[in-house]
Amino acid sequence: METLSIDTLLEMQRRMLRIRAFDERASKMVKRGHIPGTVHTSIGQEAQVVGATMALSPGDYTTGNHRSHGHPIGMGSPLGPLMAELVGKATGVCKGKGGSLHLADFAVGSLGESGIVGSSIPIAMGAALSASVRGTEQVALAFFGDGAANQGVLYESMNLSGVWNLPVIFLCENNQYALSTPAHTVTSGVIADRAAGFGMPGIRVEDGQDVLAVHDAVSTAVARARAGEGPSLIEVVTYRYNEHSEGLRLGTDYRPADEREAWLKKDPIQLFREHLRSQGVSADELDAMEAEVLAEVDEAVAFTDASPYPDPSVAFDDLYTDTEYAA
Amino acid sequence: METLSIDTLLEMQRRMLRIRAFDERASKMVKRGHIPGTVHTSIGQEAQVVGATMALSPGDYTTGNHRSHGHPIGMGSPLGPLMAELVGKATGVCKGKGGSLHLADFAVGSLGESGIVGSSIPIAMGAALSASVRGTEQVALAFFGDGAANQGVLYESMNLSGVWNLPVIFLCENNQYALSTPAHTVTSGVIADRAAGFGMPGIRVEDGQDVLAVHDAVSTAVARARAGEGPSLIEVVTYRYNEHSEGLRLGTDYRPADEREAWLKKDPIQLFREHLRSQGVSADELDAMEAEVLAEVDEAVAFTDASPYPDPSVAFDDLYTDTEYAA
Amino acid sequence: MTVMSFLGAIGAAQREAMDADERVIIFGEDVEANVYGTTGAGKTRSDKGDFLQMYGRNRIRNTPISEESMVGAAAGAAMTGLRPIVDLSYSSFLYMAMDQFVNQVAKNRYMFGGQASMPVVFRSAMFYGLNTGAHHSDRPYPMFMNVPGLKIIAPATPTDAKGLLRSAIDSDDPVLTFEACLLWGSKEDVPEEEFWIPLGEARTAREGTDVTVVAISSSVPEAVAAAEALAASEGVSVEVIDPRTLVPLDRDAILRSVHKTGRLVVAEPAHRTCGAAAEISAHVVEEAFGVLKAPIVRVTAPDMQIPFSTALEKQMYPTRHTIEAAIRRVLDLPASAEATELASASAQ
Amino acid sequence: MTVMSFLGAIGAAQREAMDADERVIIFGEDVEANVYGTTGAGKTRSDKGDFLQMYGRNRIRNTPISEESMVGAAAGAAMTGLRPIVDLSYSSFLYMAMDQFVNQVAKNRYMFGGQASMPVVFRSAMFYGLNTGAHHSDRPYPMFMNVPGLKIIAPATPTDAKGLLRSAIDSDDPVLTFEACLLWGSKEDVPEEEFWIPLGEARTAREGTDVTVVAISSSVPEAVAAAEALAASEGVSVEVIDPRTLVPLDRDAILRSVHKTGRLVVAEPAHRTCGAAAEISAHVVEEAFGVLKAPIVRVTAPDMQIPFSTALEKQMYPTRHTIEAAIRRVLDLPASAEATELASASAQ
Ligand SMILES: Cc1ncc(C[n+]2csc(CCOP(=O)(O)OP(=O)(O)O)c2C)c(N)n1
Ligand SMILES: Cc1ncc(C[n+]2csc(CCOP(=O)(O)OP(=O)(O)O)c2C)c(N)n1
Ligand SMILES: [Mg+2]
Ligand SMILES: [Mg+2]
């Protein structure tokens, strides 16, 4: 395991806190009707997101899924335009056209979240193809869930990227459920074990709540990819605290009553706080960081509130690069 | 390895001969314009087809692909309506509507060949689901090529049939090429090895020219399936002698010059003839069988020639069960 | 009769069909937990899990997220003795299985010369108008209408939802259902007993003599509202026809109405180009040109993807105001100031 | 100028684009061996393998048979600096990748508020009329026309094939090409130098004043033949418009022609319901009702799958005879005995 600077460790904690605080606020805003539609939070899964995104470098690419806020935040996207997007404001990162399910911030390498389960996996592979053809050292990483791991396009993409030896990492966020469906009831075999048949390493990070464990596994895959050794599959075992999506009111009866309690005890942010304390970071400094992050989220909301809704005509831009819409 | 009766062994040889003779005739008929379009022959792959189909029992199901004549012949479908179908006659097994790419003979459990690579794989799984829900002992087998093994739907189907524990066998006919493309250049990993990650046995039959080796592997999978132990993946290594499809005139430059010669030495029909001889079957008996099969093909052609073309109005039947076509 | 919601009606049809024929099975993502509210006891989502308890895991099956193999499995099962209902949840997910729909489900019976029949139903809901953004908001039924061999229903009322779905399940041909989520909550008296509405018969949602509006799915209540408004304000008599089944389409009913009125507006929530409205318009101009007194006007979603923001999305679908504006156009009535304003506020 | 086949013209456009811009790459099944004849030196299949030799394996890539991930890979590559051309060989295989086409290729730029552009071309050939049966004979462009965000070309001549494909490759938006295999062998003089035909501009294949025929893809030569026959036999002047680009469609050119002639026939090889002909008819009746002197008649493939047998298949697509019959109908000319017979022999 590579030794990381204390600054890097602190930045990990900061990004995890950002995801947590952003999603807790977003959850409230959905319930109050401030955000239309629904959102899927990454609360509980911060270590998995940040461990992965911080193993990447500037210029690298990610694609994600419906559990979508953590990925761009992990890549360093500023919170204001993300929050404004969730509310549908003109200043949103996608001008209000995308919403929670379709965040993207190309400035930080976030090539887009996908509401269609599994659908963004080959997009990341395409970015890796581009890097490979252009001869750069860029790497691409596709985030997807345990549910998405049963979409055929994943295996096509694993095969094709294996054949073309592309610098891509397939990162399965196994939070053990797809909506109401326990992963083990719809998964034959073990996801990470599927890599072998496609000629690539398959790593299962059992402690996906440990940001360093995730970071380590992903860093190894990134190093491989950059060295021209091709793709990897990484399965990270984690847990979502909230219901599938905020306000769905499906409840979580499909999960054993005490399961969540057990996972709360392994909270990634709490665990890493303890680790940082053990590395000599003071409680005050960590408290201050938490306060700063909360302030950032407040600012993002203030930015959002101060922003106008898009003009209706904006709905008719951006379909093509060069053609005006004509009914 | 189960001991097979001499009658069974003879029937294996007979079916291999049928496929060979039928396809050799069909190839000629394409080149002479007697069969419109093109056909994909199974010449060279007879052991793989017959070893598999003869491991099945009446009531079992198969689906196949564009290399399509061997599968129904292996299942025992009579040659006349198959040949008539290739020519587009009214007496064709599909009334002339299907053609070479879409043979099907439900009477022998052949649920249809598919011109779309990979597309019939889940159909076989569905037949297995049906058997499972209805509580019968039927088994389904999907034939597909090494090329099709890179279609995502295969892995979806492997997973789903694993989860539902369905009596289905995924049989990959690895003839080492998909059209002009060598399998090893577009396949990452080993096809049979992909089974493990999906929680099922994956068997690679290295000597796919040995009908008994194929029969043995498939019989084991069939027994498992019938015993309620779920699906299997079997990869059979084999070789097609002819070009990808008759009359394509792509040639076969993409294959090393001596490769075919080497495979011709392992001809499945010749090898099995020797085996039968060693089991005490006389050369006369085997010669007679060959003559009988050739006569069967002659009869099939005579049947075809004597059959009328379908009335043009037939094109407008059979789309729905209960609705007349209305322009 | 009992008051039933649209969603409850779907559940009721499924339950009755499961009771009547043990070859009927349901599979889909999250059907065991009744996440989408149609595998419960038939009225509300609170009867969660009922189907699983009533019919067991052999007939009610959760699937992995593998639409392509689900659709293929249903096709294979339908060809071999079952009558599956596949719950595909959102219509936007049908694309994952497009090959299976077009190349297997629609073609097999035909290609195999009638050896196969394909008694299978694929249900999905169109979730547009609910701020879910471009991925979840599709209304893709027109592309399936271009595929011979599929039947398609798009009911607009709870009664039609129940009666058409039951006919779909009992049909020996593959049927796709497109259920507008905006209609899920709508309620009306629905017969409690089993009943069947034949595929291919349009419903006259409102009789009239001056102009025909053919409206599809969630555009039906909008068209009726426009008709009422125009009756009140202008004394105009608008006939509203709801085809209910898109394939086979009740072309005769549409032509009969146009023969009576001489004028036609077609309203639907799909994208404009090559939509159902285009088909209906083209058919009518070819078959009833002589009786047409005015252009046929389409009211559709524009050829644009669906934006997320409420500020942007609400203008994307036909409303009573845009339909009213179209009716005024074909009747040569002055544009109502109010309707024009509301139309331009609510649609482009 | 040099005589070039349709297929050769495609190869030439690809070669020129590859020479002009190193971001252009080609991948697809069997492109290295030039199986489909468009990755050779530009004239015949005999120049097999040339592209691979000229551009190397970094830019000319064989793929596994994995259409869905190929299309997704192209989309991801296009968003990050390449300009891929994906050879999907047959149009019937596009369904495998439908989710990627609709949900990623068509939507990404829009959903992401213009952050992405998507310069990518997806080529495929429509192999109908060649006795390949239902799986390989599809002409599915209408379903893609219903998806906002895609551009679509369907050239009918070698010149258009070269010039439109070049514009497609140079476009910053995703373009699908539908190339009718029946036209592959057609030849004409084509400029040897680089040239671009703008997307969205129709071509007048033949000028005329009495009736407009809008014809698509392989229906264009059939329409021209029908026009010549009618000019000879009846002295009728038929204008034939070939839109060439289906999205964006040159609606103005069509309307201009109908304003001149007052009569319209639309011919295309796709299935009838919700086809391009429906769109064109619906648009014209809405925008030019006042000038229409006769019903708009569609000549299309019926809503039927494609049978294999020559005896069955030959009647499935528009021919000069069925187009002639339609023109006679809108002109109120008596059906020609010969044309009627040939039409009923060659189409239903
Ligand atoms: C193709 C497709 N099928 C189904 C859905 C509906 N859906 C949305 S999220 C979800 C569960 C996804 O599970 P997983 O991939 O494990 O991600 P998680 O929500 O657990 O993060 C489902 C079924 C969808 N959006 N797309
Ligand atoms: C979805 C799809 N993609 C591409 C093709 C074109 N095609 C027909 S056969 C073939 C090669 C198939 O190879 P394989 O599966 O190994 O079968 P084989 O021909 O070797 O028996 C290809 C690419 C097709 N029919 N369907
Ligand atoms: Mg999950
Ligand atoms: Mg092969």
Side-chain angles (χ1 to χ4, degrees):
Chain A
M1 205 183 271
E2 176 196 3
T3 342
L4 300 168
S5 73
I6 192 75
D7 283 356
T8 302
L9 299 179
L10 287 170
E11 182 63 17
M12 283 179 167
Q13 182 73 340
R14 185 180 296 274
R15 292 198 191 178
M16 291 202 289
L17 285 165
R18 271 198 197 122
I19 294 172
R20 173 78 47 103
F22 184 92
D23 267 356
E24 282 183 343
R25 182 65 75 91
S27 167
K28 286 206 191 89
M29 288 164 70
V30 168
K31 286 166 190 156
R32 285 191 206 126
H34 190 173
I35 290 174
T38 185
V39 305
H40 304 75
T41 68
S42 300
I43 299 170
Q45 302 185 203
E46 296 88 350
Q48 161 253 302
V49 176
V50 171
T53 50
M54 285 201 57
L56 299 175
S57 301
D60 290 343
Y61 301 113
T62 58
T63 64
N65 63 357
H66 57 283
R67 200 163 300 290
S68 54
H69 314 157
H71 307 140
I73 297 175
M75 291 297 279
S77 187
L79 303 188
L82 294 176
M83 188 59 90
E85 188 62 36
L86 265 43
V87 175
K89 292 297 183 79
T91 54
V93 70
C94 302
K95 303 185 190 163
K97 288 182 183 178
S100 167
L101 284 166
H102 307 300
L103 299 179
D105 186 353
F106 279 54
V108 297
S110 155
L111 302 181
E113 307 292 307
S114 169
I116 305 294
V117 167
S119 185
S120 64
I121 294 170
I123 304 293
M125 172 175 60
L129 169 63
S130 171
S132 170
V133 171
R134 290 183 286 109
T136 71
E137 297 223 310
Q138 293 162 291
V139 161
L141 184 148
F143 286 107
F144 57 89
D146 49 285
N150 292 320
Q151 290 286 28
V153 71
L154 172 60
Y155 303 98
E156 292 190 6
S157 301
M158 283 168 53
N159 181 64
L160 182 52
S161 60
V163 164
W164 284 348
N165 201 37
L166 300 180
V168 57
I169 293 137
F170 301 100
L171 193 136
C172 178
E173 311 177 306
N174 185 349
N175 62 8
Q176 304 172 62
Y177 290 88
L179 232 162
S180 72
T181 305
H184 69 89
T185 65
V186 289
T187 310
S188 191
V190 173
I191 294 168
D193 291 353
R194 295 177 178 180
F198 294 88
M200 67 183 68
I203 310 296
R204 193 165 202 264
V205 181
E206 296 286 349
D207 194 358
Q209 305 307 78
D210 176 355
V211 68
L212 294 178
V214 179
H215 186 267
D216 191 47
V218 179
S219 296
T220 304
V222 168
R224 258 183 68 87
R226 266 200 240 290
E229 290 163 25
S232 305
L233 171 67
I234 298 175
E235 176 186 2
V236 181
V237 181
T238 181
Y239 199 75
R240 67 168 151 81
Y241 292 174
N242 287 11
E243 60 174 341
H244 171 71
S245 85
E246 302 308 288
L248 187 66
R249 268 169 294 168
L250 170 67
T252 51
D253 312 355
Y254 50 84
R255 307 206 288 202
D258 48 357
E259 190 180 78
R260 183 166 182 266
E261 303 317 309
W263 280 91
L264 282 174
K265 295 208 182 89
K266 300 195 274 185
D267 184 72
I269 293 176
Q270 199 49 46
L271 283 180
F272 201 56
R273 185 184 160 103
E274 283 154 27
H275 177 75
L276 288 169
R277 292 282 290 117
S278 79
Q279 300 292 300
V281 183
S282 74
D284 282 356
E285 185 174 349
L286 291 166
D287 291 345
M289 183 191 285
E290 286 178 30
E292 280 161 30
V293 166
L294 289 175
E296 252 184 272
V297 172
D298 284 341
E299 254 173 63
V301 175
F303 169 81
T304 299
D305 288 344
S307 298
Y309 282 100
D311 186 84
S313 68
V314 165
F316 299 92
D317 297 336
D318 288 330
L319 187 64
Y320 299 106
T321 57
D322 63 356
T323 310
E324 294 294 299
Y325 170 74
Chain B
M1 205 181 272
E2 176 195 1
T3 343
L4 299 168
S5 74
I6 192 74
D7 283 355
T8 303
L9 299 180
L10 288 170
E11 181 63 17
M12 284 178 166
Q13 182 73 339
R14 184 179 296 273
R15 292 198 191 179
M16 291 202 290
L17 286 166
R18 272 199 197 122
I19 295 172
R20 173 78 47 104
F22 184 92
D23 269 356
E24 282 182 343
R25 182 66 73 92
S27 168
K28 287 205 192 90
M29 290 166 70
V30 168
K31 286 165 191 158
R32 285 191 206 127
H34 190 172
I35 290 174
T38 184
V39 305
H40 304 75
T41 68
S42 300
I43 300 170
Q45 303 185 204
E46 296 88 350
Q48 160 254 303
V49 176
V50 172
T53 50
M54 285 203 54
L56 299 174
S57 300
D60 290 343
Y61 301 113
T62 57
T63 63
N65 62 357
H66 57 283
R67 198 164 302 289
S68 54
H69 314 158
H71 307 139
I73 297 175
M75 292 296 280
S77 188
L79 303 188
L82 293 177
M83 189 58 90
E85 187 62 34
L86 265 44
V87 175
K89 292 295 182 83
T91 55
V93 70
C94 302
K95 303 184 191 164
K97 289 182 180 176
S100 167
L101 284 166
H102 308 299
L103 298 179
D105 185 354
F106 279 54
V108 297
S110 154
L111 301 181
E113 306 292 306
S114 170
I116 304 294
V117 167
S119 187
S120 64
I121 295 171
I123 304 293
M125 172 176 61
L129 169 65
S130 172
S132 170
V133 170
R134 290 183 287 109
T136 71
E137 297 223 311
Q138 292 161 292
V139 162
L141 183 148
F143 285 107
F144 56 91
D146 49 286
N150 292 319
Q151 289 287 28
V153 71
L154 171 61
Y155 303 97
E156 292 189 5
S157 302
M158 283 168 53
N159 181 62
L160 183 52
S161 60
V163 163
W164 284 348
N165 202 37
L166 299 179
V168 58
I169 293 137
F170 301 99
L171 193 137
C172 179
E173 311 177 308
N174 185 349
N175 62 7
Q176 305 173 63
Y177 291 87
L179 232 160
S180 71
T181 306
H184 70 90
T185 65
V186 289
T187 310
S188 190
V190 172
I191 295 167
D193 291 354
R194 294 177 178 180
F198 294 88
M200 68 183 68
I203 310 297
R204 193 164 201 266
V205 182
E206 296 287 350
D207 194 358
Q209 306 307 76
D210 175 355
V211 67
L212 294 177
V214 178
H215 186 267
D216 191 47
V218 178
S219 296
T220 305
V222 168
R224 259 183 66 88
R226 265 198 241 290
E229 290 162 25
S232 305
L233 172 67
I234 298 175
E235 176 186 3
V236 181
V237 181
T238 181
Y239 199 75
R240 65 168 153 81
Y241 292 172
N242 287 11
E243 60 174 340
H244 172 72
S245 85
E246 302 309 288
L248 187 66
R249 267 169 295 169
L250 171 65
T252 50
D253 312 355
Y254 49 83
R255 306 205 289 202
D258 49 357
E259 192 180 78
R260 184 165 180 265
E261 303 318 309
W263 280 91
L264 282 174
K265 296 207 181 90
K266 299 194 275 184
D267 183 72
I269 293 176
Q270 200 48 45
L271 283 180
F272 201 56
R273 185 182 161 102
E274 284 153 26
H275 177 76
L276 288 170
R277 292 281 291 116
S278 78
Q279 300 292 301
V281 182
S282 72
D284 283 353
E285 185 173 350
L286 291 166
D287 292 346
M289 184 191 282
E290 286 178 30
E292 280 160 32
V293 166
L294 289 175
E296 252 185 273
V297 172
D298 284 340
E299 253 172 66
V301 174
F303 170 81
T304 299
D305 288 344
S307 298
Y309 283 100
D311 186 87
S313 68
V314 164
F316 299 91
D317 296 335
D318 289 328
L319 187 64
Y320 300 107
T321 57
D322 63 355
T323 310
E324 293 296 297
Y325 171 75
Chain C
M1 290 287 200
T2 182
V3 175
M4 220 179 253
S5 71
F6 192 93
L7 206 54
I10 293 168
Q14 296 197 139
R15 197 186 61 242
E16 288 169 11
M18 301 248 347
D19 286 340
D21 188 341
E22 62 173 19
R23 296 171 302 174
V24 177
I25 65 169
I26 298 181
F27 59 83
E29 293 151 24
D30 302 294
V31 295
E32 293 183 7
N34 189 24
V35 163
Y36 296 100
T38 58
T39 46
K43 281 183 188 157
T44 70
R45 178 174 294 178
S46 65
D47 304 295
K48 183 165 76 176
D50 281 2
F51 273 34
L52 182 58
Q53 285 145 37
M54 288 161 71
Y55 306 111
R57 278 222 161 69
N58 201 34
R59 295 179 67 200
I60 302 293
R61 291 170 175 250
N62 266 2
T63 62
I65 308 177
S66 303
E67 286 81 6
E68 189 172 7
S69 64
M70 287 156 62
V71 171
M79 282 164 39
T80 54
L82 298 186
R83 306 182 71 86
I85 303 172
V86 186
D87 188 335
L88 287 158
S89 59
Y90 286 47
S91 305
S92 292
F93 311 154
L94 299 180
Y95 308 120
M96 317 298 289
M98 201 71 187
D99 170 61
Q100 291 297 316
F101 282 120
V102 179
N103 282 323
Q104 303 291 333
V105 174
K107 291 178 181 169
N108 277 357
R109 177 179 167 75
Y110 185 81
M111 290 194 309
F112 303 152
Q115 291 182 76
S117 73
M118 192 66 86
V120 53
V121 174
F122 300 98
R123 288 188 41 246
S124 73
M126 303 186 286
F127 270 68
Y128 57 97
L130 297 165
N131 294 107
T132 50
H135 274 177
H136 281 68
S137 305
D138 278 357
R139 295 126 285 122
Y141 56 84
M143 62 169 69
F144 294 93
M145 293 174 70
N146 189 244
V147 180
L150 306 175
K151 293 181 174 177
I152 301 176
I153 61 173
T157 68
T159 306
D160 286 351
K162 187 175 170 202
L164 284 170
L165 179 55
R166 188 59 196 282
S167 295
I169 300 170
D170 289 6
S171 162
D172 283 333
D173 296 314
V175 184
L176 274 67
T177 80
F178 289 87
E179 301 152 7
C181 194
L182 292 172
L183 299 170
W184 275 8
S186 66
K187 288 192 173 136
E188 69 180 359
D189 269 343
V190 176
E192 255 167 316
E193 62 279 9
E194 294 179 278
F195 66 98
W196 291 257
I197 295 175
L199 304 184
E201 278 187 18
R203 178 177 66 95
T204 304
R206 188 179 188 283
E207 305 223 5
T209 50
D210 297 333
V211 55
T212 301
V213 179
V214 175
I216 293 170
S217 188
S218 68
S219 294
V220 175
E222 298 298 323
V224 170
E228 309 277 305
L230 278 163
S233 66
E234 309 277 349
V236 166
S237 168
V238 180
E239 179 144 302
V240 179
I241 306 273
D242 172 6
R244 307 192 288 194
T245 304
L246 299 176
V247 179
L249 185 65
D250 191 346
R251 294 170 190 264
D252 289 343
I254 295 168
L255 289 172
R256 268 197 309 275
S257 180
V258 173
H259 271 270
K260 179 166 69 172
T261 63
R263 294 184 164 86
L264 179 61
V265 165
V266 195
E268 65 162 337
H271 296 298
R272 189 177 193 81
T273 292
C274 296
E279 175 59 30
I280 291 165
S281 171
H283 188 73
V284 168
V285 74
E286 181 157 351
E287 299 300 328
F289 182 74
V291 305
L292 277 181
K293 299 179 202 145
I296 300 171
V297 174
R298 288 184 281 170
V299 187
T300 68
D303 288 325
M304 190 53 56
Q305 294 295 347
I306 301 300
F308 161 71
S309 182
T310 314
L312 303 175
E313 189 185 12
K314 66 172 196 260
Q315 64 189 327
M316 304 308 276
Y317 317 105
T319 63
R320 57 201 67 195
H321 308 297
T322 53
I323 295 169
E324 177 176 338
I327 298 172
R328 286 178 177 273
R329 178 171 160 208
V330 301
L331 282 168
D332 238 341
L333 289 176
S336 103
E338 192 207 11
T340 311
E341 195 191 312
L342 286 162
S344 74
S346 72
Q348 66 76 47
Chain D
M1 289 287 200
T2 181
V3 175
M4 219 178 256
S5 71
F6 192 93
L7 206 54
I10 293 168
Q14 296 197 138
R15 196 187 61 241
E16 289 170 11
M18 300 249 347
D19 287 339
D21 187 340
E22 64 172 17
R23 296 170 302 174
V24 177
I25 66 169
I26 298 181
F27 59 83
E29 293 151 24
D30 303 293
V31 295
E32 293 183 8
N34 188 23
V35 163
Y36 296 99
T38 59
T39 46
K43 280 184 190 156
T44 69
R45 178 174 293 177
S46 65
D47 306 294
K48 184 164 78 176
D50 281 0
F51 274 34
L52 183 59
Q53 284 146 36
M54 289 161 71
Y55 305 111
R57 278 226 161 66
N58 200 35
R59 295 178 69 199
I60 302 292
R61 292 171 174 250
N62 266 3
T63 61
I65 307 176
S66 304
E67 286 81 5
E68 189 172 7
S69 64
M70 286 157 63
V71 171
M79 283 164 40
T80 54
L82 297 186
R83 306 182 72 87
I85 302 172
V86 186
D87 187 334
L88 287 157
S89 58
Y90 286 47
S91 305
S92 291
F93 310 155
L94 299 180
Y95 308 121
M96 316 298 288
M98 201 71 188
D99 171 60
Q100 291 297 316
F101 282 120
V102 179
N103 282 322
Q104 303 291 334
V105 175
K107 291 178 181 172
N108 277 358
R109 176 179 167 77
Y110 185 81
M111 292 194 306
F112 303 152
Q115 290 182 77
S117 73
M118 191 68 84
V120 51
V121 173
F122 300 99
R123 287 189 41 246
S124 73
M126 303 186 288
F127 270 68
Y128 59 97
L130 298 165
N131 294 106
T132 51
H135 273 177
H136 281 67
S137 307
D138 279 357
R139 296 127 283 122
Y141 56 84
M143 60 169 71
F144 293 93
M145 293 173 69
N146 189 244
V147 180
L150 306 175
K151 293 181 175 176
I152 300 176
I153 62 174
T157 67
T159 306
D160 285 352
K162 186 173 172 205
L164 284 169
L165 180 55
R166 188 61 196 281
S167 295
I169 300 170
D170 289 6
S171 161
D172 283 333
D173 296 314
V175 183
L176 274 67
T177 80
F178 290 88
E179 301 152 8
C181 193
L182 291 173
L183 299 170
W184 274 8
S186 65
K187 288 192 174 138
E188 68 179 359
D189 268 343
V190 176
E192 253 168 317
E193 62 278 10
E194 294 180 277
F195 66 98
W196 290 258
I197 295 175
L199 303 185
E201 277 187 20
R203 177 177 68 95
T204 303
R206 187 178 189 283
E207 304 224 7
T209 51
D210 297 333
V211 54
T212 302
V213 179
V214 176
I216 293 171
S217 189
S218 67
S219 295
V220 175
E222 298 298 323
V224 171
E228 311 277 307
L230 279 163
S233 66
E234 308 278 347
V236 167
S237 167
V238 180
E239 178 144 303
V240 179
I241 305 274
D242 173 5
R244 307 192 287 192
T245 304
L246 299 176
V247 179
L249 184 65
D250 192 346
R251 294 170 190 265
D252 289 344
I254 295 168
L255 288 172
R256 268 197 310 275
S257 179
V258 173
H259 271 270
K260 180 166 70 172
T261 63
R263 294 183 163 86
L264 179 62
V265 166
V266 194
E268 65 162 338
H271 296 298
R272 188 177 193 79
T273 291
C274 296
E279 175 59 31
I280 290 165
S281 170
H283 187 73
V284 168
V285 74
E286 181 157 351
E287 299 301 328
F289 182 75
V291 306
L292 276 181
K293 298 177 204 147
I296 300 170
V297 174
R298 288 184 281 171
V299 187
T300 67
D303 288 325
M304 190 54 55
Q305 293 297 347
I306 300 301
F308 161 71
S309 183
T310 313
L312 304 174
E313 190 187 10
K314 66 172 197 261
Q315 64 190 328
M316 305 309 276
Y317 317 105
T319 63
R320 58 200 68 195
H321 307 296
T322 53
I323 295 169
E324 177 176 337
I327 297 172
R328 286 178 176 273
R329 178 173 160 206
V330 301
L331 282 168
D332 238 343
L333 289 174
S336 102
E338 191 206 11
T340 311
E341 194 191 312
L342 286 163
S344 75
S346 71
Q348 64 80 45

